[in-house]
Amino acid sequence: MPSQSASVPATATGLASQVSLSVNRVRRRMEVDNRTSLLDLLREHLGLVGTKKGCDAGACGACTVLVNGVRMNACLILAVRMEGAEVTTIEGLADEGELHPMQQAFIDRDAFQCGYCTPGQIMSGIGCVSEGHAGSAETIREWMSGNICRCGCYVRITEAIQQVASASEGA
Ligand code: FES
Ligand code: FES
């Protein structure tokens, strides 16, 4: 027999809240269970499955998104804390069909194998460059250390980020 907590909707138990946020430049107002992570809101409620669930515990970086321009692990954030936030996921990077320079750099450098970590690597790489932590391969490796790649594509990931950092220096 199902437990009461499993059978009673969160909205009926006072465990749900309204949250208003922007996801990929689209304003959303939603009711979510207070225990829902931003990662589950993106994947389960909005169908934005480009943001991956690896560890669900803040240890792999697969779920990295930008919140108000800052890279964060979506699995560690409660969705209800996102009131008024601007969230960008991998699906929101391309501009009218044109890939973001970081997406293009990952293709140019062949910086993936299975691709599971890649959305998180790309979002984190964007954060790494915008923070000014892409001055050398060593610095990039240090500031990208929260993004794990089981396929071991680290050399090419670093090259892709260096490509974008060099282009933005010259811009
Ligand atoms: Fe969020 Fe691993 S799924 S850090
Ligand atoms: Fe497979 Fe990174 S490309 S985990």
Side-chain angles (χ1 to χ4, degrees):
M1 188 170 135
S3 68
Q4 187 179 19
S5 60
S7 59
V8 178
T11 47
T13 60
L15 290 172
S17 298
Q18 294 278 335
V19 62
S20 179
L21 73 169
S22 164
V23 180
N24 298 334
R25 300 177 292 281
V26 176
R27 178 61 55 186
R28 309 270 186 176
R29 182 159 183 82
M30 312 171 64
E31 185 168 79
V32 292
D33 187 308
N34 293 344
R35 301 159 292 185
T36 303
S37 68
L38 174 59
L39 177 57
D40 284 341
L41 179 141
L42 294 171
R43 289 182 59 85
E44 311 298 335
H45 294 248
L46 298 178
L48 296 171
V49 294
T51 304
K52 301 304 183 196
K53 183 179 282 190
C55 63
D56 208 20
C60 74
C63 65
T64 307
V65 297
L66 300 178
V67 177
N68 299 327
V70 177
R71 55 179 165 162
M72 292 189 181
N73 289 336
C75 70
L76 293 183
I77 307 170
L78 288 173
V80 292
R81 301 292 300 273
M82 291 289 95
E83 181 64 32
E86 305 268 342
V87 178
T88 306
T89 72
I90 192 76
E91 291 92 343
L93 285 186
D95 189 8
E96 295 185 2
E98 187 171 338
L99 293 180
H100 185 283
M102 192 64 78
Q103 292 174 302
Q104 188 60 54
F106 270 65
I107 294 170
D108 295 345
R109 300 288 170 160
D110 199 15
F112 44 82
Q113 198 174 107
C114 77
Y116 196 82
C117 74
T118 309
Q121 301 280 2
I122 289 173
M123 302 310 289
S124 197
I126 291 169
C128 187
V129 171
S130 69
E131 293 158 15
H133 293 140
S136 68
E138 187 178 27
T139 307
I140 291 169
R141 280 197 294 273
E142 180 176 347
W143 287 90
M144 289 293 294
S145 61
N147 287 81
I148 307 301
C149 177
R150 294 288 297 270
C151 299
C153 299
Y154 295 111
V155 171
R156 293 184 178 199
I157 290 169
T158 301
E159 287 175 0
I161 295 169
Q162 278 184 301
Q163 176 177 314
V164 174
S166 303
S168 57
E169 273 171 20

